[in-house]
Amino acid sequence: DAMVIQNPRYQVTQFGKPVTLSCSQTLNHNVMYWYQQKSSQAPKLLFHYYDKDFNNEADTPDNFQSRRPNTSFCFLDIRSPGLGDAAMYLCATTTGGLGTEAFFGQGTRLTVV
Amino acid sequence: AQKITQTQPGMFVQEKEAVTLDCTYDTSDQSYGLFWYKQPSSGEMIFLIYQGSYDEQNATEGRYSLNFQKARKSANLVISASQLGDSAMYFCAMRAGDTGRRALTFGSGTRLQVQP
């Protein structure tokens, strides 16, 4: 059974129209990550939560926001998507322990038209 | 700040041979963890192996082993007896820092192609 679930798998949105991607987990992990991955590139960390403590990367554009209403769910909001925001968005979870692996969802591929 | 460097954009290996994928890292933290992930063309990230900064033995998981040289800040992945299904992107990653701020940072990846 999938432990980290991202919805939808594919999302098409219009230029400038707000879009929300969702991630849920059944692992009860403290930490949730959001990554942006463009074609043939490394995943780029946008932000992460440790419980409710939000950690924003310094170079994450203000256009990207996140919410974590409870342990199980985390949302990525893109307020005004541009063509450059088309990418795969990956959600991952882990415990606070240093050595525990991160479990990834299957990703949401975002297309901006 | 943490940094992971993978200097091999692409590698070729013959089926059944061994291959080493390079990874160097930089961090000011004394405690850190190093990970390798495999990403097939389908896109999911698959965990392969972990090495802790205080682990004295090199990690091994089946055909995967990690050649950890702490003084050189390198954590190379060795895949023995390569199989066609090993063809994928491979990412080295690191976690370090205080409990609440342990970002998982990835290198730029190496695309491995296994040839029959």
Side-chain angles (χ1 to χ4, degrees), chain A:
Chain A
D1 289 338
M3 296 176 285
V4 183
I5 300 169
Q6 291 188 244
N7 283 304
R9 290 289 310 279
Y10 302 92
Q11 175 75 56
V12 180
T13 190
Q14 290 181 331
F15 182 95
K17 183 175 181 181
V19 65
T20 295
L21 310 182
S22 74
C23 177
S24 64
Q25 56 139 334
T26 60
L27 299 164
N28 204 35
H29 282 167
N30 304 92
V31 183
M32 294 188 79
Y33 300 105
W34 276 107
Y35 289 91
Q36 178 193 66
Q37 187 179 26
K38 297 189 176 179
S39 182
S40 299
Q41 296 184 21
K44 179 181 180 299
L45 183 64
L46 295 174
F47 19 63
H48 72 282
Y49 283 91
Y50 183 87
D51 292 329
K52 287 189 178 293
D53 184 21
F54 176 70
N55 299 279
N56 195 34
E57 294 302 298
D59 57 354
T60 299
D62 292 340
N63 197 26
F64 292 85
Q65 304 285 321
S66 184
R67 297 170 282 136
R68 189 179 186 186
N70 54 52
T71 300
S72 300
F73 288 88
C74 196
F75 300 98
L76 171 62
D77 300 310
I78 308 176
R79 293 193 295 188
S80 181
L83 298 178
D85 296 328
M88 175 75 88
Y89 290 87
L90 296 168
C91 173
T93 76
T94 189
T95 68
L98 194 61
T100 49
E101 68 186 269
F103 293 82
F104 282 80
Q106 290 190 289
T108 294
R109 185 166 296 283
L110 178 69
T111 301
V112 182
V113 298

Side-chain angles (χ1 to χ4, degrees), chain A residues 33 35 37 42 55 96-97 99 102, chain B residues 37 39 50 95 100-102 104 107:
Chain A
Y33 300 105
Y35 289 91
Q37 187 179 26
N55 299 279
Chain B
Y37 282 86
Q39 188 178 42
Y50 163 78
R95 290 181 73 193
R101 302 190 66 83
R102 286 175 178 162
L104 180 64

